[in-house]
């Protein structure tokens, strides 16, 4: 199985981000810890069921268990196909019950976003710049952490943040590469970063040339965040909120997808260059929260 993992990384890992490698290593490590590192034909369907039960007893929600099984299946299937193996994938058809135990992340109410933004301005430190930047752009945390200072174009006619792959992190999907107009507290945060950060990266306390410490950032931000937001709201909830805020102004769904970097829902959306910055700016500026 450990050899199959290396084959998987070699063939499927090109251009993938840290999450891809970390999740794959974790899934394989968990199998090996419970069932040992065996030849692929030495795993049985009974072993796979034992692994499922082990994960569910450990407290993982059903969606996480399904995700781990999907990773293991993909790793083993690739080696079976690549090397012409005659064995079956023991993890291919393991039944995983739908327990409906997943916790759905909730959007953050507007009045709470306003209070959080007010505190960000008052405290005015790098972690608050990061929160403020996320609050009015809906960026993924990893996208923000991988930004270079030069990606924040605050002097442009339409101020914007340029999201593209960097040496510190890849992007989740092709549509994640985009430009988001900077408005409201996100524009304020960008100004603070450009003015105060003397480094290539916007958040050097979390980011080096080769790596983003996304987990550390998430833990620190959510620890501060927890007492200020409703239950089931986390830093990632800003992405849920930005979509709802744009829906509320009847922003076209295609513009919402381009702002958030969500995958296109139909083939036609992938044609052409999409909406320009000016059009996206006209929409997103409508959701700026008034502090008066």
């Amino acid at each position: 199985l450990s050899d199959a993992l290396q084959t998987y990384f070699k063939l499927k890992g090109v251009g993938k981000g840290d999450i891809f490698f970390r999740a794959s290593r974790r899934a394989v490590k968990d199998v090996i810890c419970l069932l040992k590192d065996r030849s692929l034909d030495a795993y049985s369907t009974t072993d796979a069921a034992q692994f499922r039960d082990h994960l569910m007893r450990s407290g993982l929600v059903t969606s996480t268990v399904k995700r781990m099984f999907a990773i293991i299946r993909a790793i083993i299937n690739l080696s079976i196909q690549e090397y012409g193996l005659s064995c079956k994938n023991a993890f291919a058809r393991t039944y995983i019950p739908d327990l409906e135990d997943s916790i759905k992340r909730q959007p953050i109410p507007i009045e709470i976003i306003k209070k959080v933004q007010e505190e960000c301005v008052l405290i005015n430190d790098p972690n608050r710049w990061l929160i403020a930047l996320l609050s009015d752009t809906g960026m993924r945390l990893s996208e923000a952490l991988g930004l270079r200072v030069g990606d924040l174009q605050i002097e442009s006619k339409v101020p914007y943040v340029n999201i593209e792959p960097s040496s510190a992190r890849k992007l989740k999907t092709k549509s994640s590469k985009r430009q988001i107009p900077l408005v409201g507290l996100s524009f304020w945060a960008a100004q603070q970063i450009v003015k105060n950060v003397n480094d290539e990266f916007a958040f050097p306390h979390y980011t080096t040339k080769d790596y983003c410490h996304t987990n550390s950032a998430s833990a620190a931000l959510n620890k501060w965040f927890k007492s200020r937001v409703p239950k089931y709201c986390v830093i990632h909830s800003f992405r849920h909120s930005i979509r709802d805020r744009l829906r509320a102004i009847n922003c076209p769904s295609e513009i919402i997808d381009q702002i958030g970097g969500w995958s296109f829902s139909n083939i036609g959306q992938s044609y052409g260059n999409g909406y320009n910055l000016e059009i996206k700016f006209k929409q997103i500026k409508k959701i700026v929260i008034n502090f008066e």
Side-chain angles (χ1 to χ4, degrees):
L1 184 57
S2 58
D3 293 336
L5 177 64
Q6 296 310 311
T7 298
Y8 188 66
F9 284 167
K10 178 182 176 182
L11 298 177
K12 294 284 190 175
V14 179
K16 300 290 187 180
D18 178 63
I19 293 175
F20 169 85
F21 293 98
R22 189 167 64 243
S24 301
R25 288 192 187 97
R26 179 192 172 188
V28 167
K29 180 182 177 182
D30 285 354
V31 172
I32 291 174
C33 283
L34 182 70
L35 303 171
K36 309 299 182 186
D37 189 12
R38 307 182 194 173
S39 174
L40 298 185
D41 61 358
Y43 293 108
S44 68
T45 55
T46 302
D47 292 324
Q50 183 184 349
F51 182 59
R52 174 204 60 206
D53 294 343
H54 167 74
L55 293 179
M56 298 187 79
R57 281 195 303 269
S58 70
L60 295 179
V61 297
T62 308
S63 59
T64 301
V65 175
K66 287 183 176 182
R67 188 159 55 245
M68 291 183 72
F69 263 79
I71 292 170
I72 295 299
R73 282 198 301 269
I75 291 170
I76 294 175
N77 280 339
L78 183 63
S79 280
I80 289 175
Q81 179 180 339
E82 187 69 15
Y83 299 111
L85 305 180
S86 58
C87 64
K88 293 183 178 180
N89 187 341
F91 295 79
R93 301 185 66 181
T94 307
Y95 180 75
I96 301 173
D98 288 312
L99 301 181
E100 298 184 356
D101 53 356
S102 296
I103 297 173
K104 183 179 179 182
R105 289 169 177 156
Q106 295 296 313
I108 307 167
I110 292 295
E111 61 273 16
I112 301 297
I113 295 177
K114 181 179 179 180
K115 290 179 180 179
V116 167
Q117 290 184 335
E118 288 173 341
E119 277 202 76
C120 286
V121 174
L122 185 64
I123 298 172
N124 195 14
D125 68 359
N127 274 3
R128 261 39 67 176
W129 302 341
L130 179 51
I131 291 171
L133 188 63
L134 297 172
S135 70
D136 281 334
T137 60
M139 276 189 287
R140 299 176 178 92
L141 177 58
S142 60
E143 291 174 344
L145 292 177
L147 292 174
R148 305 177 186 89
V149 174
D151 291 327
L152 300 166
Q153 295 294 315
I154 63 174
E155 300 296 336
S156 175
K157 180 181 178 182
V158 175
Y160 68 94
V161 55
N162 187 44
I163 301 175
E164 61 182 7
S166 72
S167 60
R169 60 98 176 91
K170 307 295 182 183
L171 296 181
K172 186 174 182 179
T173 63
K174 290 182 180 179
S175 53
S176 297
K177 184 177 179 180
R178 64 201 188 280
Q179 294 177 339
I180 307 175
L182 289 166
V183 298
L185 259 286
S186 293
F187 179 59
W188 169 82
Q191 288 177 308
Q192 304 310 305
I193 293 165
V194 172
K195 178 181 177 181
N196 295 291
V197 176
N198 297 311
D199 193 274
E200 176 186 359
F201 290 98
F203 301 101
H205 55 305
Y206 291 125
T207 307
T208 63
K209 185 176 181 181
D210 301 314
Y211 191 72
C212 281
H213 295 274
T214 308
N215 287 344
S216 297
S218 179
L221 299 185
N222 280 316
K223 182 178 180 180
W224 182 83
F225 215 53
K226 187 175 181 180
S227 63
R228 292 166 170 82
V229 297
K231 192 176 181 180
Y232 303 136
C233 287
V234 293
I235 285 296
H236 189 77
S237 296
F238 279 128
R239 279 181 65 73
H240 294 257
S241 297
I242 205 81
R243 188 149 196 127
D244 276 354
R245 291 163 69 189
L246 289 167
R247 284 187 184 115
I249 60 163
N250 294 315
C251 179
S253 60
E254 190 171 343
I255 295 181
I256 296 177
D257 288 339
Q258 289 182 21
I259 289 172
W262 284 286
S263 297
F264 300 132
S265 57
N266 61 66
I267 294 175
Q269 287 181 290
S270 64
Y271 279 56
N273 294 322
Y275 289 95
N276 61 32
L277 267 174
E278 287 78 9
I279 293 175
K280 287 187 284 188
F281 176 73
K282 287 179 181 178
Q283 293 293 328
I284 201 169
K285 73 177 182 179
K286 297 177 185 177
I287 69 169
V288 173
I289 297 171
N290 192 342
F291 282 84
E292 295 179 359

